[in-house]
Amino acid sequence: LEMHVWLITVNYGDPAPTASLLESLQACQKNTLTIKMGIADNASQSTNYNKLNKLKTDSDIEIELFPFSINYFYWPAANQVINKMLAINGSYPDWVMVCNNDITFQDSNFFNKLEKIDLREYPILGPEIIGKNTRLPLNPFMVKPMSAIKRLYWKLFYTSFTFSRLLLISKKIRDRLFYYNNQSKTHGPLPVYAVHGAAILFSKHFFDKGGWLDDNFSLYGEELTVAEIAKQVGCPVTFNPELKLIHQEHTSTQKMDQRSIFNKARESHRYVMSKYIDK
């Protein structure tokens, strides 16, 4: 039986990261696999769209391009693409992988490994994602739900842009001091509260159970909304270090104004906390 996968990603501006993602995807072994790629092109401009269209034409992978005149940001754009692909194809595939376009597959057996995973038992998967520059793992994102201290930290973090910079600097120093081991210690699947939004795999079982992607925010709300929706529909969230990816950190957000990113992140944080956590 063939495994069907949709790979959903979001392009903003220069398509070079999307081209790298596609190149690494084409190098993956796809013996019993049908893969379709859905690309959102946020704030689409003809030069970038034409480059994406050339990637589509030259690729042996089936690609659907969805240009958006405005920047919907990551999760809302990905959600629109999933809905459009659902309308085109009529049903969900075995797996929907939503990922940043600055992700690359380093393991050509990624999908062979995925094929062996029970999609009812593991409806939401976070792979091992290693930062290309930092060499630090991004998963598991949160093993347990936010503690009272963590909530306070984020409340303080979002009091002002300046204060958030200071907290970030101190966190970087602390991470450097206390993070000796840059490989995650777990070898098998680990049940966790939340996985990193840079790449999340949803099996069709998640959608069958009533799961959805909340897109009522622009940036940095995907991890917690997925975790909370998973609880609501009774789906476990699992970190699986067998599945490995590389992340070229923040290639799309580094071109944006940091203060406006902070404001968007603050809005997302307030939305997520009020809708899901502080009930």
Side-chain angles (χ1 to χ4, degrees):
L1 271 173
E2 278 208 320
M3 177 172 76
H4 292 262
V5 178
W6 295 349
L7 188 139
I8 311 292
T9 196
V10 178
N11 190 83
Y12 174 64
D14 179 22
T18 307
S20 299
L21 167 61
L22 178 59
E23 193 184 332
S24 73
L25 177 63
Q26 284 174 311
C28 290
Q29 289 178 359
K30 298 181 275 291
N31 313 343
T32 54
L33 171 70
T34 301
I35 193 150
K36 290 179 180 173
M37 192 171 182
I39 304 172
D41 187 27
N42 272 334
S44 186
Q45 290 171 337
S46 56
T47 45
N48 294 330
Y49 180 76
N50 291 341
K51 285 180 189 168
L52 288 170
N53 209 25
K54 184 163 177 8
L55 288 178
K56 173 183 169 167
T57 316
D58 296 347
S59 172
D60 58 357
I61 288 170
E62 189 182 321
I63 297 173
E64 296 281 357
L65 274 182
F66 301 97
F68 298 127
S69 56
I70 61 168
N71 183 6
Y72 282 112
F73 295 93
Y74 174 42
W75 214 240
N79 192 38
Q80 286 205 47
V81 170
I82 291 172
N83 292 332
K84 285 172 188 289
M85 287 186 62
L86 184 60
I88 293 166
N89 295 282
S91 62
Y92 287 105
D94 299 308
W95 292 97
V96 175
M97 178 173 172
V98 182
C99 66
N100 289 161
N101 68 337
D102 51 9
I103 285 286
T104 49
F105 294 89
Q106 298 297 106
D107 177 7
S108 64
N109 278 312
F110 185 94
F111 292 101
N112 293 347
K113 289 173 180 173
L114 181 64
E115 208 164 6
K116 295 187 177 82
I117 295 171
D118 186 318
L119 43 80
R120 292 183 73 81
E121 199 179 341
Y122 301 109
I124 304 169
L125 286 177
E128 171 140 283
I129 308 170
I130 302 289
K132 189 166 185 181
N133 303 325
T134 60
R135 307 306 304 160
L136 299 177
L138 302 183
N139 268 329
F141 186 73
M142 288 169 75
V143 176
K144 292 185 167 64
M146 246 189 277
S147 62
I149 286 177
K150 236 344 185 332
R151 282 190 214 179
L152 178 64
Y153 170 87
W154 287 111
K155 205 170 188 167
L156 291 172
F157 184 91
Y158 286 117
T159 47
S160 80
F161 178 69
T162 316
F163 194 53
S164 75
R165 298 297 96 182
L166 289 170
L167 282 177
L168 273 180
I169 292 163
S170 65
K171 183 183 180 302
K172 275 185 180 150
I173 293 167
R174 196 190 69 210
D175 286 355
R176 283 274 171 257
L177 288 174
F178 296 108
Y179 214 111
Y180 301 114
N181 180 2
N182 70 352
Q183 292 304 313
S184 48
K185 299 185 176 49
T186 160
H187 297 292
L190 176 76
V192 295
Y193 168 66
V195 287
H196 200 283
I200 305 180
L201 289 133
F202 300 94
S203 85
K204 65 178 176 196
H205 184 60
F206 167 73
F207 299 105
D208 289 346
K209 286 196 76 173
W212 75 98
L213 268 59
D214 185 339
D215 60 1
N216 293 299
F217 55 87
S218 44
L219 278 176
Y220 305 130
E222 57 273 12
E223 288 93 357
L224 295 182
T225 54
V226 167
E228 290 296 318
I229 288 166
K231 271 203 301 200
Q232 286 180 25
V233 299
C235 281
V237 180
T238 309
F239 163 55
N240 190 323
E242 283 283 287
L243 304 167
K244 295 181 182 351
L245 296 168
I246 297 283
H247 185 228
Q248 184 87 45
E249 296 95 337
H250 308 304
T251 41
S252 51
T253 50
Q254 69 193 8
K255 302 183 205 66
M256 292 162 63
D257 172 57
Q258 293 307 306
R259 193 176 285 272
S260 76
I261 284 184
F262 169 80
N263 290 333
K264 295 226 171 279
R266 176 160 63 183
E267 280 166 33
S268 299
H269 179 73
R270 285 176 180 164
Y271 166 73
V272 172
M273 295 309 282
S274 65
K275 177 143 171 72
Y276 295 98
I277 317 276
D278 295 335
K279 280 180 162 176

